[in-house]
Amino acid sequence: MKAKRSRAAARNLLALVGVLGAAAALSMALSGIYDDNNPFAMPVFILAVAVIARVTDGYLYGVAASLVGTFCVNYMFTYPFWEFDVTLTGYPLTFATMLVVSIFICALTTQVKRQEKLRYEADREKMRANLLRAIAHDIRTPLASILGASSALKEQQLSAEDRDALLNEMSRDANWLVRVTENLLSITRFSGGDVALRKTDEVVEEIVGSAIIKYHRTAGAVPVQVDMPEDILIVPMDGTLIEQVLINVFDNVSAHAASATRIWLSVHRERDRAVVRIEDDGEGIPAAMLPKVFDGGAGRGEQPRPDARRSMGIGLSVCRSIIQAHGGEMTASNGAHGGACFEFYLPCSEAQDV
């Protein structure tokens, strides 16, 4: 924690010195153009104070910038030059006005930042509540199924066929709980914000192929049609996490796209990023749910399908967190095939041949 505060203080001090230095350099350049009669120094330094207040923490650095800026304008850009003088008529009021305006801008900017932080915290609390509801839904039903099946195995005389069916059902539920646990661990990992990914150069086609193989091991898997670029596409990533993103999106189709018969996955490169698009031919996402689909809710609708015992809201929330941690973004819409469309991009090297 102490090291973190030290880094923040160093960053704030660097911003203070850098922005004031840039303001001084710009004002000196303008003084050369206008033969020392510089009418722009004062607004330039007021702008510098606003920038410093915006990019630093708290009031201290903004107020310091206001004081230093007022001194610089007086000392460097007001006649007599390179002398501190407040005795000339009108100058004391001018500099006092500049100082007050600068401090007022600093206070307003800091207040806006605090309001943004409060709004961000409120959104996080809302998302946390949604995730808790989704967790309860994701865990309760398979646990009840496992308990019911185990009780039946212990208390009833069953045929070998019925026993195998119950064991298979327990195995599927247990695998689903493992998947939910992985998602919860990912939420814990990414909730702090300071995430250090172990990125390596991965062939996108191999990650996609591995995710599809694992997805097809689950019951109710939908066929996946893949469209890859002709050239090998290599992207720096945490391969395990990106594979988890793909599986979560596939599972969302199985859980919520009642009429889906196929999934289309396409990968292409746009300049310095790799773009992955996943579509299905199900019923799509209701318009009212599109803005909330990554908030940890019930996936594609306020109520899941009757035969879908589990929500993938947690999985979709994890997907976006993973993609954002890689420096990308993920969006949801309704695609050309009539169903849902999830698209995300990952930054890749400019030096890679295409």
Side-chain angles (χ1 to χ4, degrees), residues 176-217:
W176 184 268
L177 288 174
V178 169
R179 187 75 52 78
V180 171
T181 303
E182 291 174 351
N183 287 334
L184 292 175
L185 291 174
S186 294
I187 289 175
T188 303
R189 177 178 177 185
F190 290 103
S191 61
D194 298 328
V195 182
L197 295 176
R198 294 186 297 273
K199 291 185 181 181
T200 57
D201 288 340
E202 300 281 0
V203 178
V204 177
E205 187 173 5
E206 293 180 355
I207 299 298
V208 169
S210 176
I212 292 174
I213 290 173
K214 292 180 180 178
Y215 166 64
H216 280 154
R217 292 173 183 166

Side-chain angles (χ1 to χ4, degrees), residues 90-277:
Y91 280 10
L93 179 59
T94 300
F95 294 134
T97 302
M98 175 184 172
L99 181 60
V100 170
V101 169
S102 298
I103 293 176
F104 185 67
I105 290 175
C106 169
L108 286 178
T109 305
T110 304
Q111 185 177 7
V112 169
K113 288 195 297 182
R114 287 184 175 178
Q115 290 174 347
E116 290 177 353
K117 184 177 181 180
L118 289 174
R119 189 181 302 113
Y120 172 74
E121 291 296 332
D123 290 340
R124 285 189 63 183
E125 287 300 322
K126 181 180 178 181
M127 182 177 178
R128 186 175 292 116
N130 289 336
L131 287 174
L132 288 174
R133 285 195 294 269
I135 290 169
H137 184 277
D138 278 1
I139 294 179
R140 180 180 57 192
T141 305
L143 280 177
S145 177
I146 291 174
L147 288 173
S150 62
S151 297
L153 288 172
K154 288 195 307 180
E155 299 172 2
Q156 300 180 23
Q157 295 294 328
L158 302 173
S159 65
E161 183 179 350
D162 290 339
R163 187 169 56 251
D164 289 343
L166 286 175
L167 289 171
N168 288 334
E169 183 68 18
M170 292 173 64
S171 176
R172 285 195 296 269
D173 287 328
N175 286 330
W176 184 268
L177 288 174
V178 169
R179 187 75 52 78
V180 171
T181 303
E182 291 174 351
N183 287 334
L184 292 175
L185 291 174
S186 294
I187 289 175
T188 303
R189 177 178 177 185
F190 290 103
S191 61
D194 298 328
V195 182
L197 295 176
R198 294 186 297 273
K199 291 185 181 181
T200 57
D201 288 340
E202 300 281 0
V203 178
V204 177
E205 187 173 5
E206 293 180 355
I207 299 298
V208 169
S210 176
I212 292 174
I213 290 173
K214 292 180 180 178
Y215 166 64
H216 280 154
R217 292 173 183 166
T218 62
V222 179
V224 180
Q225 180 175 317
V226 180
D227 181 15
M228 298 292 299
E230 294 183 1
D231 298 315
I232 295 176
L233 183 57
I234 299 176
V235 178
M237 67 173 79
D238 185 321
T240 301
L241 291 177
I242 298 303
E243 188 176 291
Q244 182 181 354
V245 168
L246 296 172
I247 294 173
N248 282 350
V249 177
F250 296 155
D251 281 341
N252 185 71
V253 176
S254 298
H256 296 283
S259 58
T261 60
R262 186 170 297 276
I263 297 173
W264 288 265
L265 185 150
S266 64
V267 180
H268 66 278
R269 178 168 178 168
E270 291 180 357
R271 299 182 299 277
D272 60 343
R273 63 185 193 178
V275 180
V276 180
R277 178 189 294 263

